[in-house]
Amino acid sequence: MKLTLNVWRQPASQAPGKLETYTLDGVSADMSFLEMFDLLNEQLTTEGKVPVAFAHDCREGICGSCSMMINGQAHGPWAGAATCQLHMRAFKDGDIITVEPWRASAFPIVKDLVVNRGSFDRIIQAGGYVSVNTGGARDANSILIGKDTVEEAMDAAACIGCGACVAACPNASASLFTGAKITHLGMLPQGQPERDTRALAMVEQMDIEGFGHCTLVGECQEACPKEISIDVIKKMNRDYLVASAKRQEPKAASAS
Amino acid sequence: MLDLNAKIPSGPLQEKWDQHRFSMKLVNPANKRRHSVIVVGAGLAGASAAATMSELGYKVSCFVYHDTPRRAHSIAAQGGINAAKNYQNDGDSIRRLFYDTIKGGDFRAREANVYRLAQLSVNIIDQCVAQGVPFAREYGGLLANRSFGGAQVSRTFYARGQTGQQLLLGAYSALERQVSLKGVEMHTFEEMLDVVVVDGHARGIVTRNLLTGKITSHAADAVVLATGGYGNVFYLSTNAMLSNTTATWRAYKKGAAFANPCYTQIHPTCIPVSGDHQSKLTLMSESLRNDGRVWVPIKRGDNREPSAIPEAERDYFLERKYPSFGNLAPRDISSRAAKEACDDGRGVGPGGLGVYLDFADAIKRLGKNTIAERYGNLFDMYQRITDENPYERPMRIYPAVHYTMGGLWVDYNLMSSIPGLHVAGEANFSDHGANRLGASALMQGLADGYFVLPYTIGDYIAGTKLAKVDNTHAEFKAAEESVRAQTKRFLDIKGKRSVDSFHKELGKIMWEYCGMARTKEGLTKALELIPALKAEFWSNLNVPGSGDNLNQALENAGRVADFIELGELMCRDALAREESCGGHFRVEYQDAGEAKRNDDDFAYVAAWEFAGEGNAPILNKEPLVYENVHLSTRSYK
Ligand SMILES: Cc1cc2nc3c(=O)[nH]c(=O)nc-3n(C[C@H](O)[C@H](O)[C@H](O)COP(=O)(O)OP(=O)(O)OC[C@H]3O[C@@H](n4cnc5c(N)ncnc54)[C@H](O)[C@@H]3O)c2cc1C
Ligand code: SF4
Ligand code: FES
């Protein structure tokens, strides 16, 4: 099939960007969206132009690299799929497709479609872990965890850190991402000792990074390639409230 | 000639690691923070090593070309990780895991390393669970296990089809914790392009920042490469697209021996190629073979719908040829059997390059729900890619390049032939032999990173007198200069062909002549084609753009340049190994279709030494000595 592509081109972080239009022929329905971009880049290179920079790696929906706003939808029209899993059979001959990078001030644009999602790492650094050093862990079967509990933890742990939730959210909130990690660890016995400090620190780090507040619009859940449920945000809010309340209590106690 | 002393500790197999740990020198805890270690890579091996060394007190710097350590290729592993826990009471033990791994590797791995791996496997699971890795559980709350190719016991731990992801997130979170505690300085978007050797010791690296193009160098007391495998030399593989050999190849050129480069693992269950546009191949986890049955039509060219082919006209070739392992036969065996069926004209799907993996019986026996619960995400993935519904129609699968058992040569301490340069995970050659059984790479990466390197690096640091060196040393400046010159050279060629087109062409040569079956004739041919391709690459490459910002074509140019040279070495290695073993199948050496090993002449590790541009590399041999297992013909019948 033949397509018209409007692609965001921005040579560098600080440089101005704009949409450029390209026509591309010979696209097969079996191609993934990224393979279609490979074809475009091969064409641009032959024409002596600079190819489009886009992030990718695993090309099977698990590394969370690929990130494209396709016709206004994060990762494009297929539900529960990252851009690399989207196949061209989702489109038809003659379609016009607009492709832009994630837009959020906490994800500065690096070039063209590539943004820097380092802010996600810093949210994890704030407490998205169990503080356990290597060695000396007790036998794995001495911690019993019910099947349902572990399944629910796994649902949340499946987040690939792609940032689609942020890009889809009108407030550019990182709550689905952060809530997923807080829920994953909060469901498990191993995560309990640090549950309060984790919730406080991670939520506060979101603010520091410049992500917006969550108003439960729900766009994040729609855009998420791993279908993380918005319930994780409710869990996060609850943990945060509980932890904030506890944070105030000891202070009052020591004052008296 | 290199001194390939593997430094295997003496004493009985079971006690080697214990004794070695006791004899290793220790660094005084108060002194550890005065010692710095560079870790390149933050996949399972790198992230676990960097986090653990920081916990011990070393000053660690960690480098990745990714935007965050969580994207390392390890994230993609699906099926699971082995450990000799014997939780299922089905007869597993450290000894059995050891034996299965040695046998699986077709007796081309080192006994002592493999035994240590089996011992440490037990601690890995404990460590990961403590970190919060949500492994699958039984209703009573205990850990669940499944069986995997090449094993008759259920020793594989898994987290849905996303085991690698969950293990990596565990290691990544340990790493991020150390970053927040300022024990690890993390450098993202930073690609290592050279190792710096001062007075015979690895003392640092040169990197290029992918966002700014800035070239800098970094000094340390020891360097760890945990940079993954080189399967992408074939262009099409199950590896992540950015996986490459640059770190290991540049280290080779600085004096680190490259061991067994020709050992490539082909995975039997991948989605077949759909066209020329294809950029990578998608693996369908081997765990599918627990319930799926592999077959092709008995008649050649039978292109009826699979449902229209009656039982009696189907050949369940794995069950027929290997009755005791059946569909769970190891990867090299299953892959070769599939290729044979297709070469015989009985393949299915477009181009006849595919065999069926059929779940109809399992669905009948267990119900669709159980199958969906076990493999749902894989089925969805398959449907998205092929537009076919595997609940209704058998999957089509075909073998694909998956893992490289070769890598930089290391001794028992995981140190390469350059003192101070350690290598972990898929980047080293050490534990797998000529084949790797399923669920053992994750195990090796984590064993290396959590439990081996943190000790052996301490031993190296405590036992070596290192002069004070910083990145103003002449060797650093020289390495930076050569990296700058190479970058400029790529941009200056201004030829006509894209980097990708060279990579694809190399991949075709490699698959054709150094793939699932190799012949003297084919390898000789490849050794003519590759140098010609190399010459064209350096005269007709087109890298658009500049070197001072994000330029993916430029990054790739460096990687493909290295792949071309590595490809040549792989063919040389395959040609020199006149036997068949594991993933290395030389057509001339077979016994009715089964690999025919030659232990008298080839029970060695082939460690290639760089002899300067334009000179043939030197083959060094480390003899493999088997004291505890009997070298037998590998049989899965
Ligand atoms: C699809 C798939 C499924 C798999 N499933 C399983 C499974 O079920 N069980 C199993 O045991 N194994 C499995 N494997 C194999 C296993 O995943 C890998 O062998 C293993 O994860 C490799 O880990 P690693 O830490 O050595 O390297 P990687 O995870 O590849 O990490 C390499 C790291 O090095 C960095 N790096 C590389 N070069 C440079 C450079 N020049 N400069 C800076 N940074 C650099 C990268 O950024 C990355 O952080 C699977 C593999 C694939 C492809
Ligand atoms: S929550 Fe979903 S959309 Fe957000 S980062 Fe994770 S996987 Fe991506
Ligand atoms: S490229 Fe890895 S998720 Fe898309």
Side-chain angles (χ1 to χ4, degrees):
Chain A
M1 48 187 153
K2 192 171 176 174
L3 300 170
T4 305
L5 296 164
N6 299 314
V7 184
W8 185 261
R9 300 304 307 260
Q10 182 169 336
S13 216
Q14 301 307 323
K18 64 171 188 321
L19 286 170
E20 298 252 6
T21 304
Y22 309 105
T23 49
L24 188 62
D25 208 350
V27 176
S28 127
D30 283 332
M31 286 181 179
S32 72
F33 200 81
L34 298 185
E35 283 165 351
M36 184 273 288
F37 257 77
D38 292 340
L39 191 67
L40 173 68
N41 276 345
E42 188 67 36
Q43 176 176 315
L44 292 175
T45 307
T46 324
E47 289 167 2
K49 296 185 186 138
V50 177
V52 184
F54 63 93
H56 72 105
D57 197 11
C58 73
R59 298 207 172 187
E60 48 186 74
I62 189 78
C63 74
S65 300
C66 57
S67 48
M68 297 188 187
M69 220 43 181
I70 301 163
N71 288 337
Q73 277 178 297
H75 294 304
W78 283 4
T83 304
C84 56
Q85 297 173 294
L86 173 65
H87 278 67
M88 295 312 292
R89 69 181 79 90
F91 300 91
K92 51 183 197 312
D93 192 34
D95 272 359
I96 302 172
I97 309 174
T98 301
V99 188
E100 289 183 89
W102 291 165
R103 306 262 184 209
S105 60
F107 287 166
I109 293 183
V110 168
K111 182 178 180 176
D112 298 340
L113 303 173
V114 181
V115 301
N116 189 337
R117 288 164 284 191
S119 47
F120 270 10
D121 282 341
R122 292 187 291 273
I123 293 176
I124 299 294
Q125 282 157 26
Y129 44 73
V130 174
S131 294
V132 48
N133 283 358
T134 304
R138 59 185 164 142
D139 184 85
N141 254 352
S142 69
I143 307 174
L144 293 180
I145 308 173
K147 187 172 159 74
D148 297 340
T149 309
V150 93
E151 291 296 324
E152 215 176 317
M154 182 62 214
D155 285 342
C159 162
I160 57 174
C162 63
C165 45
V166 174
C169 173
N171 309 324
S173 163
S175 291
L176 198 67
F177 168 80
T178 310
K181 187 46 68 187
I182 288 179
T183 303
H184 157 210
L185 296 174
M187 295 293 302
L188 299 172
Q190 303 93 304
Q192 298 315 309
E194 293 166 289
R195 189 162 169 183
D196 293 342
T197 48
R198 177 181 309 118
L200 291 172
M202 290 181 78
V203 168
E204 281 155 20
Q205 190 66 33
M206 285 198 290
D207 279 344
I208 296 170
E209 295 295 338
F211 289 103
H213 285 282
C214 170
T215 50
L216 290 174
V217 178
E219 291 288 338
C220 54
Q221 173 178 268
E222 298 304 311
C224 176
K226 295 293 142 185
E227 303 184 305
I228 310 272
S229 154
I230 200 164
D231 288 349
V232 301
I233 301 184
K234 294 176 194 150
K235 289 211 170 73
M236 170 180 81
N237 289 343
R238 201 201 52 208
D239 278 12
Y240 182 73
L241 282 176
V242 170
S244 314
K246 284 195 203 158
R247 171 156 67 177
Q248 275 140 28
E249 278 159 26
K251 268 192 204 139
S254 65
S256 64
Chain B
M1 278 284 166
L2 291 170
D3 166 29
L4 293 181
N5 180 355
K7 305 217 180 73
I8 296 169
S10 56
L13 191 60
Q14 295 83 332
E15 286 161 35
K16 283 183 195 291
W17 178 232
D18 256 6
Q19 278 183 9
H20 190 56
R21 281 199 295 175
F22 180 69
S23 67
M24 278 193 281
K25 296 187 192 70
L26 296 175
V27 180
N28 172 332
N31 281 340
K32 283 193 181 131
R33 69 190 138 80
R34 298 206 194 104
H35 291 288
S36 54
V37 182
I38 283 173
V39 178
V40 188
L44 285 175
S48 56
T52 306
M53 285 191 284
S54 171
E55 288 162 8
L56 290 173
Y58 295 106
K59 245 170 56 187
V60 179
S61 310
C62 184
F63 295 80
V64 294
Y65 53 63
H66 286 104
D67 64 335
T68 152
R70 68 178 292 150
R71 305 220 202 281
H73 165 57
S74 295
I75 201 99
Q78 298 173 347
I81 177 167
N82 282 341
K85 283 282 202 182
N86 195 29
Y87 282 159
Q88 307 309 326
N89 193 30
D90 56 359
D92 202 9
S93 63
I94 288 172
R95 178 99 198 170
R96 189 179 293 275
L97 175 52
F98 158 74
Y99 181 74
D100 285 353
T101 309
I102 287 278
K103 177 185 168 197
D106 219 349
F107 305 93
R108 290 292 174 264
R110 254 190 223 141
E111 276 189 343
N113 284 58
V114 176
Y115 196 84
R116 173 175 69 188
L117 177 66
Q119 283 175 308
L120 295 175
S121 69
V122 176
N123 306 350
I124 294 172
I125 302 302
D126 297 341
Q127 181 61 29
C128 297
V129 166
Q131 289 167 343
V133 170
F135 283 121
R137 300 263 172 172
E138 309 288 358
Y139 280 104
L142 297 169
L143 286 147
N145 292 104
R146 58 185 169 202
S147 53
F148 229 59
Q152 285 169 315
V153 290
S154 289
R155 63 160 74 100
T156 306
F157 294 77
Y158 61 100
R160 291 202 188 135
Q162 286 130 277
T163 315
Q165 175 195 36
Q166 291 310 312
L167 295 174
L168 182 63
L169 291 181
Y172 157 82
S173 65
L175 177 63
E176 294 300 337
R177 172 169 164 249
Q178 293 306 312
V179 172
S180 76
L181 295 170
K182 310 241 174 323
V184 175
E185 201 175 284
M186 191 70 219
H187 302 260
T188 55
F189 287 119
E190 199 76 46
E191 179 163 27
M192 177 207 129
L193 295 178
D194 211 353
V195 182
V196 181
V197 181
V198 179
D199 300 331
H201 290 256
R203 294 307 301 270
I205 58 170
V206 174
T207 62
R208 175 174 180 274
N209 185 291
L210 302 184
L211 307 186
T212 63
K214 197 161 170 232
I215 287 157
T216 46
S217 46
H218 313 264
D221 295 336
V223 177
V224 176
L225 299 186
T227 49
Y230 51 84
N232 280 348
V233 67
F234 292 88
Y235 187 74
L236 284 182
S237 82
T238 62
N239 288 13
M241 296 279 289
L242 305 184
S243 298
N244 66 83
T245 186
T246 287
T248 45
W249 192 250
R250 309 261 166 119
Y252 163 75
K253 288 191 156 180
K254 281 285 170 83
F258 211 114
N260 299 334
C262 81
Y263 286 172
T264 306
Q265 186 185 62
I266 314 280
H267 196 292
T269 54
C270 298
I271 302 180
V273 175
S274 73
D276 259 355
H277 57 263
Q278 193 107 16
S279 59
K280 74 157 287 184
L281 297 171
T282 302
L283 176 80
M284 290 281 99
S285 167
E286 182 164 40
S287 63
L288 292 170
R289 294 198 279 144
N290 276 322
D291 287 308
R293 299 180 68 195
V294 176
W295 64 275
V296 290
I298 289 179
K299 245 191 359 235
R300 292 203 184 116
D302 183 347
N303 49 18
R304 282 176 289 172
E305 271 296 293
S307 57
I309 303 180
E311 274 305 297
E313 293 175 41
R314 298 175 177 191
D315 178 13
Y316 293 91
F317 54 90
L318 289 176
E319 297 168 32
R320 171 172 59 80
K321 293 171 80 167
Y322 308 100
S324 61
F325 281 71
N327 295 297
L328 289 175
R331 293 177 179 176
D332 56 323
I333 307 245
S334 309
S335 297
R336 221 153 27 238
K339 181 179 190 293
E340 247 171 53
C342 296
D343 289 351
D344 188 38
R346 300 189 293 139
V348 298
L353 292 179
V355 300
Y356 288 127
L357 178 62
D358 197 339
F359 291 86
D361 280 354
I363 292 175
K364 223 181 282 160
R365 184 164 35 94
L366 302 162
K368 192 177 161 190
N369 284 347
T370 307
I371 294 300
E373 194 181 301
R374 283 189 194 164
Y375 314 110
N377 65 324
L378 295 169
F379 278 37
D380 293 347
M381 187 147 109
Y382 180 84
Q383 174 146 26
R384 253 184 219 133
I385 293 175
T386 61
D387 211 17
E388 290 172 5
N389 181 349
Y391 292 100
E392 288 162 9
R393 191 177 200 283
M395 283 183 178
R396 287 177 294 111
I397 53 164
Y398 196 69
V401 170
H402 181 55
Y403 180 92
T404 42
M405 280 81 63
L408 292 182
W409 181 89
V410 288
D411 63 15
Y412 188 72
N413 293 321
L414 304 186
M415 190 158 89
S416 71
S417 52
I418 303 176
L421 182 73
H422 294 72
V423 193
E426 197 174 336
N428 75 25
F429 89 105
S430 75
D431 296 4
H432 298 303
N435 176 45
R436 171 179 82 80
L437 296 183
S440 60
L442 300 180
M443 176 169 72
Q444 187 224 334
L446 289 178
D448 288 359
Y450 282 133
F451 300 114
V452 180
L453 272 182
Y455 291 102
T456 59
I457 292 233
D459 182 50
Y460 167 76
I461 288 175
T464 316
K465 254 200 104 40
L466 289 165
K468 266 211 136 359
V469 166
D470 65 23
N471 65 358
T472 57
H473 190 281
E475 288 294 340
F476 278 89
K477 292 297 143 200
E480 278 182 32
E481 252 344 287
S482 80
V483 167
R484 268 192 206 101
Q486 199 195 36
T487 309
K488 187 168 174 313
R489 203 173 150 202
F490 288 132
L491 291 163
D492 286 349
I493 301 172
K494 294 197 194 312
K496 296 233 156 9
R497 282 181 63 180
S498 71
V499 182
D500 243 31
S501 74
F502 283 103
H503 195 176
K504 277 189 181 163
E505 188 173 337
L506 174 70
K508 286 210 176 104
I509 298 173
M510 295 304 292
W511 179 245
E512 175 79 20
Y513 301 112
C514 197
M516 256 198 287
R518 298 141 183 208
T519 62
K520 180 175 182 187
E521 208 188 350
L523 290 162
T524 313
K525 173 110 189 263
L527 285 169
E528 286 160 18
L529 293 173
I530 298 173
L533 184 69
K534 180 173 169 180
E536 204 205 335
F537 177 87
W538 285 104
S539 59
N540 195 20
L541 176 72
N542 173 11
V543 178
S546 73
D548 54 12
N549 67 15
L550 183 69
N551 185 339
Q552 293 165 328
L554 178 62
E555 290 163 26
N556 253 331
R559 296 171 192 160
V560 173
D562 295 339
F563 275 141
I564 292 176
E565 295 182 2
L566 169 69
E568 188 176 336
L569 187 70
M570 290 169 73
C571 293
R572 262 180 209 278
D573 187 43
L575 186 59
R577 190 166 281 280
E578 295 177 326
E579 65 164 348
S580 294
C581 56
H584 167 68
F585 190 75
R586 279 283 299 268
V587 175
E588 304 93 324
Y589 307 97
Q590 55 174 308
D591 212 344
E594 303 295 333
K596 193 161 155 218
R597 243 178 30 227
N598 174 352
D599 294 329
D600 291 341
D601 300 320
F602 292 95
Y604 61 71
V605 175
W608 295 89
E609 176 187 354
F610 183 63
E613 278 330 320
N615 299 327
I618 302 160
L619 174 59
N620 297 268
K621 297 176 185 174
E622 178 205 329
L624 288 165
V625 184
Y626 289 91
E627 291 170 345
N628 298 279
V629 297
H630 174 65
L631 288 178
S632 56
T633 303
R634 207 162 143 244
S635 164
Y636 292 88
K637 291 205 161 141

